[in-house]
Every structure is written in structure tokens, then in C-alpha cells.
Amino acid sequence: MNFDYQDLKFWLEDKDVLPQAYWDALEDYDPDNLNSDQVLAKWLGYDHVQDFYSYEMDITYREEQSDVDGYIMTTAYPTSSIHNPPPALDSQIYYAYINWATTVASEE
């Protein structure tokens, strides 16, 4: 399952961890002016908003089966590939996002 910058943005908005400058920029949102995305990109540590737009995380599950006393046990392990992660996002917040995304991917 693929997660992009919009998924990260909406999750951060939902968790109410964004700086006030982001919300102020969002109130003044103009479709021709990507000010709120620029504020968010800077807060996340990106040099340019285009770097933020290139963020991607792919989560897939691989399964392993084993025979335990005649019963076939299947275990699924998540694997992820992350392109251009947010350099300045607090690691605890980012790990919470990854855990959320892993749960969502497991339900697909």
C-alpha cells in the first residue's frame, strides 16, 4: 500500500501536532498559493515544498508459513520502503505515523 505526502499531512492534521503557523496559513488558503504546504514542508525539514511532495512510503506484507504440530501457521511481516522521509519530524511522531500506516496496510 502506498502512502504519500497527503496521507502524512492529513494524519498530522488529525493528531494536532502541527505548529500554529501552519494553521494560520491554512486559514488564508488560496489554491494558487501553496503557503500552508510551504509552512508544513519547512516544519518537516524540507528545503523545498517539492521535496515534501516527493515523500512516499510503501508498505507490503510478506507471509511465512510453518508447520507446528500438524497445524499450518501463517505469519505476516510488514516491510516498508520510504522515499524522502521528513528530516526534522520528531521521531516519536513519525513512528506513530508509521505504526498507523502499517495497521491500515494490514487491513487492506
Side-chain angles (χ1 to χ4, degrees), residues 16-75:
D16 197 27
V17 295
L18 297 171
Q20 187 59 43
Y22 172 78
W23 297 109
D24 293 344
L26 197 59
E27 284 181 16
D28 299 331
Y29 181 73
D30 174 355
D32 297 325
N33 178 3
L34 302 175
N35 193 30
S36 63
D37 284 353
Q38 290 171 343
V39 170
L40 180 55
K42 184 176 180 178
W43 182 73
L44 292 171
Y46 294 107
D47 292 330
H48 306 284
V49 72
Q50 290 80 10
D51 296 334
F52 172 49
Y53 293 156
S54 71
Y55 168 80
E56 275 190 341
M57 178 172 57
D58 290 311
I59 298 176
T60 57
Y61 277 82
R62 68 178 171 85
E63 293 183 352
E64 288 185 1
Q65 292 185 343
S66 59
D67 185 338
V68 178
D69 297 330
Y71 295 97
I72 301 297
M73 305 293 286
T74 302
T75 305

Side-chain angles (χ1 to χ4, degrees), residues 6-18 22-23 26 40 93 97 100:
Q6 291 177 329
D7 297 308
L8 176 60
K9 178 180 172 178
F10 293 133
W11 185 86
L12 288 169
E13 288 175 350
D14 187 52
K15 295 302 173 191
D16 197 27
V17 295
L18 297 171
Y22 172 78
W23 297 109
L26 197 59
L40 180 55
I93 294 172
Y97 171 72
W100 168 82

